[in-house]
PDB file of all heavy atoms in Angstrom:
ATOM      1  N   PHE A  28      12.813  -6.760   2.080  1.00  0.00           N
ATOM      2  CA  PHE A  28      13.127  -8.133   2.480  1.00  0.00           C
ATOM      3  C   PHE A  28      12.113  -8.591   3.518  1.00  0.00           C
ATOM      4  O   PHE A  28      11.769  -7.826   4.423  1.00  0.00           O
ATOM      5  CB  PHE A  28      14.520  -8.204   3.115  1.00  0.00           C
ATOM      6  CG  PHE A  28      15.651  -7.944   2.170  1.00  0.00           C
ATOM      7  CD1 PHE A  28      16.401  -6.785   2.258  1.00  0.00           C
ATOM      8  CD2 PHE A  28      15.975  -8.867   1.182  1.00  0.00           C
ATOM      9  CE1 PHE A  28      17.450  -6.536   1.390  1.00  0.00           C
ATOM     10  CE2 PHE A  28      17.027  -8.630   0.306  1.00  0.00           C
ATOM     11  CZ  PHE A  28      17.763  -7.460   0.413  1.00  0.00           C
ATOM     12  N   ARG A  29      11.671  -9.837   3.398  1.00  0.00           N
ATOM     13  CA  ARG A  29      10.785 -10.416   4.419  1.00  0.00           C
ATOM     14  C   ARG A  29      11.087 -11.889   4.585  1.00  0.00           C
ATOM     15  O   ARG A  29      11.179 -12.613   3.607  1.00  0.00           O
ATOM     16  CB  ARG A  29       9.317 -10.282   4.009  1.00  0.00           C
ATOM     17  CG  ARG A  29       8.732  -8.936   4.318  1.00  0.00           C
ATOM     18  CD  ARG A  29       7.241  -8.914   4.157  1.00  0.00           C
ATOM     19  NE  ARG A  29       6.799  -7.545   3.966  1.00  0.00           N
ATOM     20  CZ  ARG A  29       5.595  -7.208   3.579  1.00  0.00           C
ATOM     21  NH1 ARG A  29       4.694  -8.147   3.337  1.00  0.00           N
ATOM     22  NH2 ARG A  29       5.257  -5.958   3.436  1.00  0.00           N
ATOM     23  N   THR A  30      11.238 -12.302   5.836  1.00  0.00           N
ATOM     24  CA  THR A  30      11.401 -13.720   6.141  1.00  0.00           C
ATOM     25  C   THR A  30      11.268 -13.891   7.655  1.00  0.00           C
ATOM     26  O   THR A  30      10.898 -12.948   8.359  1.00  0.00           O
ATOM     27  CB  THR A  30      12.751 -14.250   5.604  1.00  0.00           C
ATOM     28  OG1 THR A  30      12.780 -15.665   5.733  1.00  0.00           O
ATOM     29  CG2 THR A  30      13.941 -13.661   6.342  1.00  0.00           C
ATOM     30  N   LYS A  31      11.574 -15.080   8.157  1.00  0.00           N
ATOM     31  CA  LYS A  31      11.531 -15.307   9.601  1.00  0.00           C
ATOM     32  C   LYS A  31      12.511 -14.352  10.296  1.00  0.00           C
ATOM     33  O   LYS A  31      13.647 -14.165   9.834  1.00  0.00           O
ATOM     34  CB  LYS A  31      11.916 -16.749   9.920  1.00  0.00           C
ATOM     35  CG  LYS A  31      10.892 -17.769   9.410  1.00  0.00           C
ATOM     36  CD  LYS A  31       9.717 -17.866  10.368  1.00  0.00           C
ATOM     37  CE  LYS A  31       8.662 -18.840   9.904  1.00  0.00           C
ATOM     38  NZ  LYS A  31       7.804 -18.289   8.846  1.00  0.00           N
ATOM     39  N   ALA A  32      12.086 -13.776  11.400  1.00  0.00           N
ATOM     40  CA  ALA A  32      12.868 -12.724  12.065  1.00  0.00           C
ATOM     41  C   ALA A  32      14.280 -13.180  12.428  1.00  0.00           C
ATOM     42  O   ALA A  32      15.238 -12.404  12.336  1.00  0.00           O
ATOM     43  CB  ALA A  32      12.129 -12.255  13.321  1.00  0.00           C
ATOM     44  N   LEU A  35      17.315 -12.388  10.013  1.00  0.00           N
ATOM     45  CA  LEU A  35      17.413 -11.049   9.432  1.00  0.00           C
ATOM     46  C   LEU A  35      18.463 -10.124  10.044  1.00  0.00           C
ATOM     47  O   LEU A  35      18.643  -9.006   9.564  1.00  0.00           O
ATOM     48  CB  LEU A  35      16.043 -10.355   9.513  1.00  0.00           C
ATOM     49  CG  LEU A  35      15.044 -10.784   8.438  1.00  0.00           C
ATOM     50  CD1 LEU A  35      13.656 -10.275   8.781  1.00  0.00           C
ATOM     51  CD2 LEU A  35      15.471 -10.268   7.073  1.00  0.00           C
ATOM     52  N   MET A  39      19.635  -6.502   8.340  1.00  0.00           N
ATOM     53  CA  MET A  39      19.373  -5.196   8.961  1.00  0.00           C
ATOM     54  C   MET A  39      20.660  -4.367   9.055  1.00  0.00           C
ATOM     55  O   MET A  39      20.678  -3.182   8.729  1.00  0.00           O
ATOM     56  CB  MET A  39      18.786  -5.385  10.367  1.00  0.00           C
ATOM     57  CG  MET A  39      17.455  -6.081  10.374  1.00  0.00           C
ATOM     58  SD  MET A  39      16.167  -5.104   9.564  1.00  0.00           S
ATOM     59  CE  MET A  39      14.797  -6.241   9.601  1.00  0.00           C
ATOM     60  N   VAL A  61      11.525  -1.066   9.751  1.00  0.00           N
ATOM     61  CA  VAL A  61      11.598  -2.470  10.175  1.00  0.00           C
ATOM     62  C   VAL A  61      10.164  -2.966  10.368  1.00  0.00           C
ATOM     63  O   VAL A  61       9.494  -2.603  11.339  1.00  0.00           O
ATOM     64  CB  VAL A  61      12.411  -2.615  11.475  1.00  0.00           C
ATOM     65  CG1 VAL A  61      12.435  -4.073  11.939  1.00  0.00           C
ATOM     66  CG2 VAL A  61      13.837  -2.094  11.272  1.00  0.00           C
ATOM     67  N   THR A  62       9.683  -3.767   9.427  1.00  0.00           N
ATOM     68  CA  THR A  62       8.310  -4.279   9.476  1.00  0.00           C
ATOM     69  C   THR A  62       8.153  -5.424   8.487  1.00  0.00           C
ATOM     70  O   THR A  62       8.915  -5.519   7.525  1.00  0.00           O
ATOM     71  CB  THR A  62       7.286  -3.175   9.129  1.00  0.00           C
ATOM     72  OG1 THR A  62       5.954  -3.703   9.254  1.00  0.00           O
ATOM     73  CG2 THR A  62       7.449  -2.678   7.702  1.00  0.00           C
ATOM     74  N   ALA A  63       7.143  -6.263   8.727  1.00  0.00           N
ATOM     75  CA  ALA A  63       6.749  -7.257   7.724  1.00  0.00           C
ATOM     76  C   ALA A  63       5.260  -7.119   7.430  1.00  0.00           C
ATOM     77  O   ALA A  63       4.614  -8.085   7.018  1.00  0.00           O
ATOM     78  CB  ALA A  63       7.100  -8.673   8.185  1.00  0.00           C
ATOM     79  N   GLU A  69       5.810 -13.861  13.637  1.00  0.00           N
ATOM     80  CA  GLU A  69       7.186 -14.387  13.757  1.00  0.00           C
ATOM     81  C   GLU A  69       8.088 -13.930  12.610  1.00  0.00           C
ATOM     82  O   GLU A  69       9.306 -14.079  12.667  1.00  0.00           O
ATOM     83  CB  GLU A  69       7.181 -15.917  13.845  1.00  0.00           C
ATOM     84  CG  GLU A  69       6.479 -16.639  12.716  1.00  0.00           C
ATOM     85  CD  GLU A  69       4.978 -16.828  12.945  1.00  0.00           C
ATOM     86  OE1 GLU A  69       4.400 -16.136  13.818  1.00  0.00           O
ATOM     87  OE2 GLU A  69       4.395 -17.669  12.244  1.00  0.00           O
ATOM     88  N   ASP A  70       7.502 -13.374  11.552  1.00  0.00           N
ATOM     89  CA  ASP A  70       8.297 -12.827  10.444  1.00  0.00           C
ATOM     90  C   ASP A  70       8.727 -11.400  10.776  1.00  0.00           C
ATOM     91  O   ASP A  70       8.207 -10.766  11.690  1.00  0.00           O
ATOM     92  CB  ASP A  70       7.469 -12.768   9.150  1.00  0.00           C
ATOM     93  CG  ASP A  70       7.188 -14.146   8.579  1.00  0.00           C
ATOM     94  OD1 ASP A  70       7.648 -15.141   9.171  1.00  0.00           O
ATOM     95  OD2 ASP A  70       6.497 -14.227   7.551  1.00  0.00           O
ATOM     96  N   ASN A  71       9.696 -10.921  10.011  1.00  0.00           N
ATOM     97  CA  ASN A  71       9.987  -9.487  10.027  1.00  0.00           C
ATOM     98  C   ASN A  71      10.560  -9.111   8.676  1.00  0.00           C
ATOM     99  O   ASN A  71      10.677  -9.967   7.786  1.00  0.00           O
ATOM    100  CB  ASN A  71      10.912  -9.081  11.177  1.00  0.00           C
ATOM    101  CG  ASN A  71      10.507  -7.716  11.742  1.00  0.00           C
ATOM    102  OD1 ASN A  71      10.153  -6.800  10.996  1.00  0.00           O
ATOM    103  ND2 ASN A  71      10.549  -7.587  13.048  1.00  0.00           N
ATOM    104  N   GLY A  72      10.904  -7.851   8.522  1.00  0.00           N
ATOM    105  CA  GLY A  72      11.402  -7.398   7.222  1.00  0.00           C
ATOM    106  C   GLY A  72      11.937  -5.996   7.328  1.00  0.00           C
ATOM    107  O   GLY A  72      11.922  -5.367   8.394  1.00  0.00           O
ATOM    108  N   VAL A  73      12.428  -5.505   6.211  1.00  0.00           N
ATOM    109  CA  VAL A  73      12.992  -4.153   6.179  1.00  0.00           C
ATOM    110  C   VAL A  73      12.834  -3.578   4.785  1.00  0.00           C
ATOM    111  O   VAL A  73      12.935  -4.299   3.789  1.00  0.00           O
ATOM    112  CB  VAL A  73      14.492  -4.169   6.596  1.00  0.00           C
ATOM    113  CG1 VAL A  73      15.321  -5.041   5.662  1.00  0.00           C
ATOM    114  CG2 VAL A  73      15.072  -2.762   6.668  1.00  0.00           C
ATOM    115  N   ASP A 128       7.813  -1.518  13.668  1.00  0.00           N
ATOM    116  CA  ASP A 128       6.468  -1.910  14.096  1.00  0.00           C
ATOM    117  C   ASP A 128       6.530  -2.594  15.460  1.00  0.00           C
ATOM    118  O   ASP A 128       7.582  -2.613  16.113  1.00  0.00           O
ATOM    119  CB  ASP A 128       5.776  -2.757  13.017  1.00  0.00           C
ATOM    120  CG  ASP A 128       6.376  -4.152  12.857  1.00  0.00           C
ATOM    121  OD1 ASP A 128       7.168  -4.582  13.722  1.00  0.00           O
ATOM    122  OD2 ASP A 128       6.049  -4.829  11.865  1.00  0.00           O
ATOM    123  N   ARG A 130       6.267  -5.775  16.378  1.00  0.00           N
ATOM    124  CA  ARG A 130       6.686  -7.182  16.515  1.00  0.00           C
ATOM    125  C   ARG A 130       7.731  -7.320  17.624  1.00  0.00           C
ATOM    126  O   ARG A 130       8.586  -6.451  17.794  1.00  0.00           O
ATOM    127  CB  ARG A 130       7.314  -7.666  15.204  1.00  0.00           C
ATOM    128  CG  ARG A 130       6.321  -7.832  14.087  1.00  0.00           C
ATOM    129  CD  ARG A 130       6.993  -7.878  12.718  1.00  0.00           C
ATOM    130  NE  ARG A 130       5.976  -7.570  11.727  1.00  0.00           N
ATOM    131  CZ  ARG A 130       5.178  -8.472  11.172  1.00  0.00           C
ATOM    132  NH1 ARG A 130       5.338  -9.745  11.452  1.00  0.00           N
ATOM    133  NH2 ARG A 130       4.249  -8.105  10.331  1.00  0.00           N
ATOM    134  N   SER A 132      10.375  -8.878  17.663  1.00  0.00           N
ATOM    135  CA  SER A 132      11.752  -8.876  17.136  1.00  0.00           C
ATOM    136  C   SER A 132      12.208  -7.505  16.634  1.00  0.00           C
ATOM    137  O   SER A 132      13.393  -7.315  16.340  1.00  0.00           O
ATOM    138  CB  SER A 132      11.845  -9.867  15.968  1.00  0.00           C
ATOM    139  OG  SER A 132      10.914  -9.514  14.944  1.00  0.00           O
ATOM    140  N   SER A 133      11.294  -6.538  16.531  1.00  0.00           N
ATOM    141  CA  SER A 133      11.621  -5.304  15.798  1.00  0.00           C
ATOM    142  C   SER A 133      12.646  -4.414  16.496  1.00  0.00           C
ATOM    143  O   SER A 133      13.483  -3.793  15.845  1.00  0.00           O
ATOM    144  CB  SER A 133      10.349  -4.500  15.518  1.00  0.00           C
ATOM    145  OG  SER A 133       9.569  -5.137  14.536  1.00  0.00           O
ATOM    146  N   LEU A 136      16.204  -5.786  15.958  1.00  0.00           N
ATOM    147  CA  LEU A 136      16.593  -5.655  14.551  1.00  0.00           C
ATOM    148  C   LEU A 136      16.832  -4.199  14.176  1.00  0.00           C
ATOM    149  O   LEU A 136      17.697  -3.879  13.361  1.00  0.00           O
ATOM    150  CB  LEU A 136      15.525  -6.284  13.644  1.00  0.00           C
ATOM    151  CG  LEU A 136      15.421  -7.816  13.737  1.00  0.00           C
ATOM    152  CD1 LEU A 136      14.250  -8.334  12.918  1.00  0.00           C
ATOM    153  CD2 LEU A 136      16.723  -8.493  13.278  1.00  0.00           C
TER     154      LEU A 136
END
Side-chain angles (χ1 to χ4, degrees):
F28 292 110
R29 278 191 201 168
T30 189
K31 293 279 179 282
L35 281 168
M39 297 295 175
V61 178
T62 183
E69 55 273 17
D70 290 359
N71 217 320
V73 60
D128 70 13
R130 289 162 199 273
S132 58
S133 288
L136 291 174

